[in-house]
Amino acid sequence: MKKCILLSLFGLLSLVPKLQATHLMGGDIIVQQLSGLTYLVQLTTYRDTMGIPMQTTATFTFKNSSGTTILTTTTGYDTIISGNTLPMYPYGVEVYFFRDTVTLPSTGTFSVGWSDCCRNGAILNLSSPLSESMFLQTDFTVDSIPNSTPFFLVPAAIFLPVNTPWQYNPLPFDPDGDSLYWSISSPLNGWNTPCAGFTIPPGSSANPITINPITGTISWTATTTGNFVFTVLVDEYRNGVHFGSIRRDMQFIVVTPNGQGPQWNVNIPTDSLGNLHINLVQFSSYQLNVMGYNPSGAPLYMQAYGEPFFTQPNPAVFTMQGQGINDTVLGHISWSPTAAQVRQTPYILVIRISDGYLTQDLSLVVTVSATVGEDVFDSKPFRLFPNPASSYIQLPAEVENATVMDASGRHYALRKDASGWSVEALPAGGYHLQAFGSKGEYLGSEKLIRVP
């Protein structure tokens, strides 16, 4: 399944025309287990076609938990799928893939890193970007139980309009089903070393850069044109234990376009947190239509991403009408989930529209239940989400009281308000949560991870 997902992504990128290589604009490193201690490591880099040619090789450095280098390997980029421009952008942003296979000496915690110089001198939220290398680092655990790092399902976005609400979702996905927590972080210049002078890109007071802890959507109304950089950091947890992290480092370009760019016109219900939410029932046939339009009149394109499109059996199917014809595009999603796809953890779908210059992402929370009217959390043992969490968690509606216990046996009572159950007062760490009903009856328990 992992290989099929990656190969499908490569296939999509191979359909667009090739140009020449460019300045460093971003990238990420993923590590996928092939068998035992043997892993595939892949570097994805994004380059600006206005700059110097792409380097032909990449050197991966592996370190153990003590920081000792245990392995280095150098490989060339994949010539079949590399050098293609990102789809639906007139501006040259190329994608390169460097892949190699390595065998690690033992189980344990490891880090893999790659570096190249230098960053774009036009970046405004670093103090001296031309003196900063682009350093990508991924931390991962080699365990007796199979484990691969998460990876991003949605291609990078580059341009966004100034003074206009904008959404971007890289959609992290873990093939092993581990819990993910995403945040906005500083880009790196070296091992665990943030770039000097990094500041969060400027945004409006009503819509500064934020990331949704449930969907992974980044929302931002940029107030200044120019080049900015930040990193999407994804932490992976398994049974309450931190298992590693991956980073997508990207340069974003805020522009003044003609008009607002692509806009959505949808009528989808929201949950209590304001997320677009759809609850499906096993064996039922669901149809969803979403429409995007462009006030400027430029042709629109649409694509959809998410686990339902490759889950088995009966994956979801996405089609669209109006591609490249006029200023309106209609997307159609059909899905008939089976009993095998019923679960308590929501599925996340991301739909992207683009006018060949600007993009706009739409994120949907989709739950699959066994019966009509069943809440996704009604079955036992229930699951809370998001988990890990930094501010609020959501529990089943019948929960009236909830307590957590830390590793030392200390108990904390959780408080509920309109946003959910608050965990903000808890110190960072692992907890055992217990939930009770209105008559004090025990409803279930789950491990909770509180992150800063």
Side-chain angles (χ1 to χ4, degrees):
M1 173 63 75
K2 302 172 193 173
K3 294 180 182 177
C4 291
I5 297 168
L6 291 174
L7 289 173
S8 297
L9 176 60
F10 298 156
L12 287 174
L13 291 172
S14 67
L15 297 177
V16 293
K18 293 191 174 183
L19 298 175
Q20 295 299 313
T22 64
H23 277 285
L24 295 167
M25 294 190 72
D28 56 74
I29 298 174
I30 64 171
V31 180
Q32 303 289 292
Q33 186 179 31
L34 298 178
S35 64
L37 300 176
T38 301
Y39 283 76
L40 170 72
V41 57
Q42 176 180 290
L43 163 69
T44 303
T45 58
Y46 299 88
R47 299 295 295 253
D48 177 345
T49 54
M50 301 285 289
I52 60 175
M54 182 67 190
Q55 63 179 16
T56 58
T57 62
T59 297
F60 298 110
T61 301
F62 290 80
K63 293 189 175 186
N64 61 19
S65 58
S66 300
T68 301
T69 298
I70 60 168
L71 175 66
T72 60
T73 181
T74 300
T75 184
Y77 61 75
D78 188 314
T79 57
I80 297 176
I81 58 174
S82 295
N84 299 311
T85 54
L86 277 179
M88 299 184 289
Y89 284 106
Y91 182 85
V93 179
E94 293 178 338
V95 189
Y96 284 80
F97 299 93
F98 298 81
R99 293 184 289 171
D100 207 352
T101 300
V102 298
T103 300
L104 297 166
S106 64
T107 59
T109 301
F110 300 92
S111 298
V112 55
W114 167 84
S115 180
D116 194 14
C117 187
C118 296
R119 291 183 182 271
N120 192 330
I123 294 173
L124 298 178
N125 61 326
L126 297 179
S127 58
S128 183
L130 280 176
S131 64
E132 300 278 0
S133 293
M134 175 177 290
F135 187 86
L136 300 177
Q137 176 178 335
T138 291
D139 305 322
F140 63 102
T141 298
V142 178
D143 193 55
S144 57
I145 301 174
N147 181 56
S148 296
T149 65
F151 52 88
F152 298 100
L153 293 178
V154 179
I158 306 297
F159 293 94
L160 63 146
V162 70
N163 298 322
T164 303
W166 178 74
Q167 291 193 332
Y168 158 61
N169 191 339
L171 195 57
F173 170 76
D174 189 88
D176 305 308
D178 294 330
S179 299
L180 302 180
Y181 178 81
W182 36 80
S183 58
I184 294 174
S185 182
S186 167
L188 300 181
N189 183 44
W191 294 98
N192 302 306
T193 305
C195 290
F198 171 75
T199 58
I200 295 294
S204 71
S205 58
N207 189 28
I209 289 183
T210 57
I211 192 164
N212 187 307
I214 296 173
T215 66
T217 300
I218 294 171
S219 299
W220 181 20
T221 298
T223 55
T224 304
T225 59
N227 291 260
F228 300 92
V229 65
F230 60 83
T231 292
V232 178
L233 174 64
V234 181
D235 287 295
E236 174 189 6
Y237 292 84
R238 178 175 294 181
N239 296 324
V241 177
H242 188 257
F243 244 50
S245 61
I246 64 169
R247 314 171 68 91
R248 174 177 276 181
D249 186 318
M250 282 305 303
Q251 178 182 322
F252 298 87
I253 305 174
V254 183
V255 297
T256 303
N258 293 324
Q260 294 182 322
Q263 303 291 313
W264 286 104
N265 183 8
V266 296
N267 184 21
I268 301 174
T270 60
D271 59 21
S272 61
L273 298 179
N275 298 311
L276 300 178
H277 177 237
I278 300 166
N279 186 39
L280 308 185
V281 178
Q282 63 178 350
F283 305 121
S284 64
S285 180
Y286 180 75
Q287 312 289 322
L288 173 67
N289 290 320
V290 291
M291 188 180 76
Y293 67 99
N294 197 345
S296 69
L300 283 179
Y301 306 84
M302 185 182 295
Q303 187 55 271
Y305 308 89
E307 185 182 354
F309 297 109
F310 54 79
T311 186
Q312 295 294 335
N314 290 8
V317 176
F318 170 79
T319 57
M320 62 181 173
Q321 297 175 332
Q323 178 182 7
I325 298 175
N326 49 46
D327 61 352
T328 300
V329 64
L330 180 67
H332 179 76
I333 296 174
S334 60
W335 192 19
S336 300
T338 69
Q341 289 147 338
V342 173
R343 70 183 195 190
Q344 295 162 323
T345 303
Y347 297 89
I348 307 298
L349 296 181
V350 173
I351 310 172
R352 172 171 292 181
I353 49 175
S354 171
D355 62 3
Y357 183 32
L358 301 173
T359 63
Q360 193 73 253
D361 289 354
L362 184 74
S363 301
L364 307 177
V365 177
V366 180
T367 52
V368 180
S369 304
T371 60
V372 175
E374 177 191 13
D375 189 278
V376 70
F377 300 111
D378 282 347
S379 57
K380 296 180 177 60
F382 67 85
R383 295 286 297 273
L384 57 90
F385 79 96
N387 189 16
S390 60
S391 55
Y392 285 90
I393 60 173
Q394 304 303 309
L395 296 174
E398 66 268 27
V399 175
E400 293 291 336
N401 292 286
T403 64
V404 295
M405 181 179 67
D406 63 19
S408 65
R410 181 178 179 182
H411 284 78
Y412 302 82
L414 298 186
R415 175 182 55 84
K416 183 181 181 182
D417 59 29
S419 298
W421 295 84
S422 175
V423 298
E424 292 179 310
L426 299 178
Y431 295 86
H432 181 77
L433 180 144
Q434 292 184 310
F436 303 89
S438 60
K439 298 179 180 179
E441 69 276 21
Y442 175 70
L443 297 178
S445 65
E446 181 61 275
K447 291 181 179 179
L448 166 68
I449 304 298
R450 164 73 163 99
V451 293

